Amino acid sequence: MTTPPIPVLLYHAVMDEPPDWIAEFTVTPRDFRAYLDAIVASGRTPVTISALAGHFAGRSPLPDRPVVLTFDDGFADLPGPTADALAARSLPATAYLTTGAVTPGRRSLLPPAPMMKLSQAPLLEQYGMEVGAHTITHPQLDTLPAKALRRELTEPKAVLEDVLGHEVAHLAYPHGYNSPAVRRAALRAGYASAVAVRHALSSGTDESYRIARLILRRSHTVADIEAWMDGRGAPVAPFPDSLPTVGWRLYRRARARLKGPAFAG
């Protein structure tokens, strides 16, 4: 039996005038509202990553036509107008926070941009969002030595758990970069799931530690959203890494040995 495709959408900033470095992956508030209306009109049932991970673990069934909304990094719009737009439509979501970028006095590899504050993480939950980790500094995880990788996975989990007062069980790989070793490390760090990118539809048989997501670019339209809600317009995971993907990973690892950790973006 063929598993129906599951759209897991990846948003970054929602703003009219983003910094140049994130502009390609930013949507305007007007377009964002139109996308959300298209999701609602599709009749799909919005669920969190927790629900999807629970299905993969065999703990709970999914609705017939689920959709998952995720947000990476923690831009300043998230605990304000973006959360308001989601709440107005009763759409749950999962927000993955880069703790070094949202904590005053800490540093990350993310270039300058308006970011939310770590202290606002509980507010996201009040809006009905689930909070996950997105590393400390946003590096290319699949290029890091074991000790640095472990720190990038375990520290943000502990930081967010301290702020929220409960377990943080879900992870997003910066820019989707992962490998078998990174996926094993995510499991050992105590995460129940991890999302990648892959720009593909997920499915009920996708992999718990590299869940496929569709990355929203400023060039996407409501028609793209409608196609994805219909299970069209993108490949369906799981599928093996392509040879170009493996080659690109090897190149980035070699570069990291020479130049050190690099921004994943």
Side-chain angles (χ1 to χ4, degrees), residues 166 180 188 198 210:
H166 60 74
R188 289 194 298 270
R198 317 201 86 187
R210 62 167 170 178

Side-chain angles (χ1 to χ4, degrees), residues 82-216:
T82 296
D84 284 333
L86 292 164
R89 295 161 178 80
S90 300
L91 293 172
T94 302
Y96 295 101
L97 304 183
T98 304
T99 55
V102 301
T103 305
R106 295 297 302 272
R107 299 180 64 183
S108 78
L109 296 169
L110 289 172
M115 307 298 291
M116 63 174 279
K117 299 293 189 292
L118 178 65
S119 60
Q120 294 176 297
L123 178 60
L124 297 179
E125 292 193 329
Q126 292 174 27
Y127 271 108
M129 285 193 196
E130 177 177 60
V131 175
H134 196 39
T135 73
I136 311 165
T137 67
H138 208 279
Q140 298 178 15
L141 290 177
D142 57 348
T143 68
L144 298 181
K147 183 177 180 180
L149 172 60
R150 184 166 57 251
R151 178 172 177 263
E152 287 284 353
L153 298 181
T154 58
E155 182 178 311
K157 187 177 193 296
V159 166
L160 290 169
E161 287 175 346
D162 184 60
V163 170
L164 297 170
H166 60 74
E167 182 184 17
V168 170
H170 305 288
L171 170 72
Y173 305 123
H175 209 65
Y177 288 142
N178 70 96
S179 66
V182 171
R183 297 193 290 274
R184 291 192 296 269
L187 173 61
R188 289 194 298 270
Y191 292 103
S193 80
V195 291
V197 180
R198 317 201 86 187
H199 197 61
L201 292 151
S202 184
S203 73
T205 56
D206 202 357
E207 301 168 78
S208 297
Y209 289 89
R210 62 167 170 178
I211 298 169
R213 294 188 291 174
L214 295 154
I215 187 168
L216 269 292

